[in-house]
Amino acid sequence: MRVKIKRLDPSFPLPAYHTAESAAFDIASAEEKTIATRAVTLVRTGLIIEAPHGYFLMLSARSSLARKKGLILANGIGIVDRDYSGPKDEIMLSLYNFTGREVKIEKGERLAQGMFFPIERVEWVEVRELRKNSRGGFGSTG
């Protein structure tokens, strides 16, 4: 799949897959930044990415981010729509520092990972009833 990408700093490396069988590519910070304790901060990636027609870009935290840095993506995952690819639509990472100390981010530090997923649009069919029996409520399977 070919994907259009613009680097706001042409010297900054492109996102990369770090093993031959990686499912997602890593996305790094384009800036040095300190995140205050229990604060949410936007971190620049220096990237504008246009997903191919029929796809969106999903961002998630790297698996080591919480354990090594004490950070999580504040919104859990990020959805980057295809039309978020204009000249000022830089992808930002919303990071939450859940520790009791400041956390320093280095420029070039890999923080998130991205994957492209196909979009399936739905047409709603409203009904009065779906099933006769309920499963048991939130968390019912234990």
Side-chain angles (χ1 to χ4, degrees):
M1 179 183 324
R2 295 177 58 87
V3 176
K4 293 179 184 177
I5 187 168
K6 178 178 180 176
R7 290 182 285 180
L8 299 176
D9 175 356
S11 70
F12 200 68
L14 289 169
Y17 296 93
H18 282 273
T19 70
E21 295 186 353
S22 292
F25 49 87
D26 288 337
I27 297 177
S29 171
E31 64 182 334
E32 185 177 291
K33 193 164 230 182
T34 300
I35 303 175
T37 183
R38 293 179 179 71
V40 175
T41 302
L42 292 177
V43 176
R44 296 182 51 243
T45 67
L47 302 173
I48 299 172
I49 299 174
E50 182 180 270
H53 283 282
Y55 287 82
F56 71 92
L57 171 60
M58 186 185 81
L59 303 175
S60 64
R62 290 188 70 227
S63 58
S64 62
L65 189 64
R67 182 176 47 82
K68 288 183 177 178
K69 301 292 282 190
L71 300 172
I72 58 174
L73 283 182
N75 51 331
I77 62 166
I79 302 294
V80 183
D81 298 312
R82 183 176 195 279
D83 60 358
Y84 186 77
S85 55
K88 296 182 181 177
D89 292 334
E90 178 181 2
I91 294 172
M92 307 285 274
L93 301 176
S94 180
L95 297 177
Y96 173 64
N97 174 359
F98 62 82
T99 72
R101 59 177 169 68
E102 290 184 337
V103 175
K104 186 173 181 181
I105 299 296
E106 300 293 335
K107 183 176 180 177
E109 188 171 356
R110 296 177 294 149
L111 302 172
Q113 50 190 351
M115 293 178 69
F116 289 96
F117 286 93
I119 298 167
E120 187 69 40
R121 301 288 301 248
V122 301
E123 180 181 321
W124 299 108
V125 179
E126 193 167 7
V127 298
R128 290 187 177 272
E129 186 177 345
L130 292 171
R131 296 176 181 260
K132 292 191 184 291
N133 297 316
S134 291
R135 200 174 92 177
F138 184 81
S140 64
T141 62

